Amino acid sequence: MIFKAAYLVLIAATACLVISAQSTYTPRDADEQEAWTIYQQYKDSKKIESMLESQIKQKFSDSIMATYGQFGILGTDREALAQAQAMTVTLNLERKRQAELEPAWEKKFYWRYGDLRWMADRVRDVKTGREMDRIEFALTYFPFNYKKGVVPSTMVTSKDAGVAEKGNAESWSHIRVTLAPVSGFTTEDKPGWRNNGTGFRAAMIGGGPLTVKIEITGKGGISYYDYTANVIVKTASGRSIIAETRKISTNGGSVSFSASMVPAENDGSLTIDVSISGGNPEGFTYYVSGTVDLGSAVGGVSKMR
């Protein structure tokens, strides 16, 4: 009877917890539907895990109080202990479920959207004003099946966007930097022996926000060691928008970054430096580097991915 009661309490608590999060995301194809399903299952499981940990702690506390507290003479609160034990069984099942979802995600989606555990990071979407976790943000704004030459609809319109690239899907690495809204966008090839790049210049349209999207890909089976990707986005005044160094597996993969910023009065211009390095065995570097004139725009703070 005690275990039955514990089980009913557990089921009721779990049912109240797992409520689908509000989202405007719609998968664009079967791959994104698969990613969204794994993400939602993992997210729900993490919520259940958190709830169970809290409930187990409380039940064991109830049991201890019954033993040593005011009513210690009655002995251990067997019902609270039974409930805690039943919840522990379910907790272990949820952790096992997460351990099964993680490799499925990493095998196909890590290179595009990052580590599932990054959902603990909170992001405010400047486009909608809604707060979401880092993985949902990536799913929303980074199409899994990237089509060369297509500017995502989230980046305003193609006529107001500028794209600077080095490399392509067939070469050892590929960097793509997309800016919007901008005008006067120009690029310049910067050839070298081991360092090859693309330079660019542009001017922001209006008072902002200016959106920057960066995608970096390293091809598998090319480099003897993991690739190193570096991203620095900062204003002339020294305000840092993105400052990241990431590793990309020698087996291949990608990393993506996105930021939206409203220029402050003294920012002047925005400098963007993106690079990827690898080799076999000598080191080679591809980079995209340039500046965006922010004009006389005055505004607020940067909002990062």
Side-chain angles (χ1 to χ4, degrees):
M1 191 68 181
I2 292 174
F3 282 96
K4 183 177 180 181
Y7 179 78
L8 291 175
V9 169
L10 175 60
I11 293 300
T14 303
C16 290
L17 179 71
V18 184
I19 301 173
S20 297
Q22 294 180 353
S23 175
T24 58
Y25 175 74
T26 301
R28 286 159 283 236
D29 53 36
D31 290 319
E32 292 193 9
Q33 181 62 59
E34 181 184 357
W36 182 254
T37 299
I38 294 175
Y39 158 75
Q40 285 291 347
Q41 290 176 350
Y42 192 84
K43 184 176 182 179
D44 288 344
S45 183
K46 293 297 287 185
K47 287 181 179 179
I48 294 172
E49 177 188 35
S50 178
M51 180 275 293
L52 289 172
E53 288 176 339
S54 177
Q55 290 294 316
I56 290 169
K57 183 178 180 181
Q58 181 61 46
K59 292 302 178 183
F60 273 123
S61 176
D62 292 345
S63 177
I64 293 171
M65 286 300 296
T67 303
Y68 301 107
Q70 182 177 358
F71 303 102
I73 193 171
L74 298 176
T76 301
D77 183 341
R78 289 181 295 168
E79 183 175 356
L81 183 59
Q83 290 177 2
Q85 291 171 338
M87 289 179 181
T88 299
V89 171
T90 303
L91 175 62
N92 291 333
L93 289 175
E94 290 300 330
R95 287 173 175 169
K96 181 175 182 293
R97 182 186 183 195
Q98 293 166 26
E100 293 170 348
L101 290 170
E102 285 169 2
W105 175 274
E106 290 170 2
K107 183 178 180 180
K108 185 172 182 178
F109 300 111
Y110 181 94
W111 69 270
R112 189 61 168 142
Y113 304 122
D115 194 318
L116 264 178
R117 287 162 288 200
W118 291 351
M119 68 174 61
D121 298 339
R122 306 303 298 174
V123 177
R124 180 166 294 279
D125 181 8
V126 296
K127 181 179 175 64
T128 64
R130 189 172 68 85
E131 186 178 83
M132 62 179 76
D133 64 60
R134 185 170 170 181
I135 297 301
E136 183 182 353
F137 183 90
L139 283 162
T140 301
Y141 291 111
F142 304 148
F144 181 75
N145 292 302
Y146 165 71
K147 294 179 176 58
K148 184 177 175 61
V150 176
V151 178
S153 60
T154 55
M155 293 295 292
V156 194
T157 62
S158 58
K159 69 182 181 66
D160 292 333
V163 180
E165 296 182 272
K166 183 61 184 178
N168 52 56
E170 287 70 46
S171 64
W172 69 275
S173 68
H174 181 207
I175 299 174
R176 178 182 174 91
V177 176
T178 306
L179 306 165
V182 294
S183 64
F185 190 86
T186 61
T187 62
E188 176 188 4
D189 186 35
K190 295 189 174 183
W193 179 33
R194 292 187 178 179
N195 295 282
N196 293 271
T198 298
F200 70 86
R201 294 189 67 85
M204 188 185 73
I205 300 173
L210 173 70
T211 301
V212 182
K213 181 178 178 182
I214 299 168
E215 299 170 283
I216 311 171
T217 301
K219 191 173 183 179
I222 300 296
S223 181
Y224 286 179
Y225 46 88
D226 287 347
Y227 297 101
T228 299
N230 288 294
V231 178
I232 300 293
V233 180
K234 63 181 181 180
T235 67
S237 65
R239 187 158 62 108
S240 178
I241 308 302
I242 302 176
E244 295 275 358
T245 297
R246 295 282 181 81
K247 292 292 184 180
I248 298 176
S249 171
T250 185
N251 295 321
S254 296
V255 290
S256 300
F257 304 86
S258 182
S260 183
M261 58 90 68
V262 177
E265 187 172 9
N266 65 336
D267 279 339
S269 62
L270 187 71
T271 299
I272 300 171
D273 291 301
V274 183
S275 67
I276 179 172
S277 299
N280 56 343
E282 293 88 0
F284 293 87
T285 298
Y286 270 0
Y287 66 88
V288 171
S289 179
T291 59
V292 181
D293 182 6
L294 302 176
S296 58
V298 178
V301 298
S302 62
K303 304 285 188 178
M304 282 185 260
R305 66 189 187 288

